Amino acid sequence: MKKNILFGFAACGAMLLSANVAKAQEAVVIEEATFTEVADCTDQYYSEKGSNWFIQLGAGMELPMVDCYKAGPKGQNDGKRGITAAYGVGFGKWFNPYFAWRFGVQGAAYHWDANNAYQKAKFVNANFDLMWDMFNSLGSVDADRFFSIVPYVGVGATYSWDFNHAYVPINNGYRKDRVWQIPVSVGLQLRFRLSKYVDFFAEGRFQAYGDTFDGIAYGSESIDMNLTAMGGLTFKLGGKSFKSFNPCAYIGYINQLNGQINDLRGELSNCSSRLAAAEAQLPCPEIVAVECPDASAPLMSTVRFTINSAKISSMEMVNVYNIAQWMKANPDANVVIKGYADKDTGTAAYNLKLSERRAQNVYNVLTKEYGIPADRLSIKAEGSASQIYDTNNWNRIVIFSQD
């Protein structure tokens, strides 16, 4: 029977390897050529180095599933296993919304009947677990979800001691005073969100040991096990949140820049043609200055934002820097900072305020970090009333234009 339970553990552990990610194809147009490449256009989530750490404190009960024998009237096995209190502590980190690691320690006293005698011992166990959030993996990612199911598998080390040795020695008198074991375990945790910083959890763990976990080596193929049920609190240090990015978010932006470059090339080509035509005229006409576009300083930089956010990411800060450098190189130019929001998220009134905050944050960086005079900048909140792009997500943006 114990062997069958072990095979069940292995099947449960295989659940952690069953996540699949859908792939999508994205067409990228660069000038006049079209390339089709396989790209994962879903949002990619990650955890920053100092975020999503947690500490767990729990208490519950444990039941040893060990050699348990007490001869009855007809020699049958009617020995008893005792349920005792167990306590645990652990810490770990979610390194993305789907997987976490946890190091935990638990300890308890346990007792059982063997060879017509009451047996008892103590143990302490340390485990390293790999945890899997089923709902985030199989559905949408939600750091504020109230209820989650988290299976896990683990390996550890267990030290047992303080055996009372009240039994008659078995297997030619062999017995141990202290036992070291390396158990494997599988478990299931139910998690309930109480607040941004605290969760309640309830979990059960099966652990499989060699035959001497209880200090008794009985038979040649027996396996000892331990069942623990525990509940407690998880303290999320700094809350639980994840950063995300979309690998395809900049494809439209790149296409826009390519279009602007091609327009500038066309204007330069037309300018060269007009100059050549003027030079070919006889007699030579009065030289007229032909104004050519300045191809070196178009206001092509934009600053993109994530949904419902006015924070400038480190990736977008380079675009603010480019505008600052351009303004320093063109001291007579004034710039309008225009903020936008996508129309499919939030109300028009909310989006107007959000676009204003986005423009204001860009204004603050230009003036405070790069020393651009405030009188050369102005802010305009466009909200979601007008949309720059047909793709909704691309309109979470700040653009620049000359005043």
Side-chain angles (χ1 to χ4, degrees), residues 232-286:
L233 297 176
T234 300
F235 300 94
K236 298 171 285 186
L237 306 182
K240 184 179 179 183
S241 61
F242 300 96
K243 299 291 184 179
S244 67
F245 68 94
N246 192 310
C248 301
Y250 291 95
I251 292 177
Y253 181 44
I254 293 172
N255 290 339
Q256 175 198 3
L257 296 180
N258 284 332
Q260 293 181 9
I261 292 172
N262 290 334
D263 290 342
L264 291 170
R265 287 174 176 171
E267 292 182 23
L268 288 173
S269 178
N270 291 336
C271 178
S272 299
S273 298
R274 294 196 299 271
L275 286 173
E279 291 173 352
Q281 294 180 14
L282 292 174
C284 185
E286 181 182 355

Side-chain angles (χ1 to χ4, degrees), residues 123-144:
F123 80 96
V124 62
N125 175 70
N127 274 292
F128 182 84
D129 301 321
L130 178 63
M131 309 177 74
W132 175 46
D133 190 310
M134 289 181 59
F135 289 176
N136 280 344
S137 299
L138 304 179
S140 60
V141 173
D142 184 1
D144 297 330

Side-chain angles (χ1 to χ4, degrees), residues 196-218:
K196 179 180 179 180
Y197 300 101
V198 181
D199 290 341
F200 172 79
F201 73 89
E203 67 177 70
R205 179 194 296 267
F206 276 107
Q207 290 179 297
Y209 297 87
D211 189 29
T212 58
F213 171 62
D214 57 350
I216 302 175
Y218 184 80

Side-chain angles (χ1 to χ4, degrees), residues 149-166:
I149 298 177
V150 183
Y152 60 88
V153 294
V155 64
T158 299
Y159 176 67
S160 300
W161 77 100
D162 199 23
F163 297 102
N164 65 334
H165 299 304

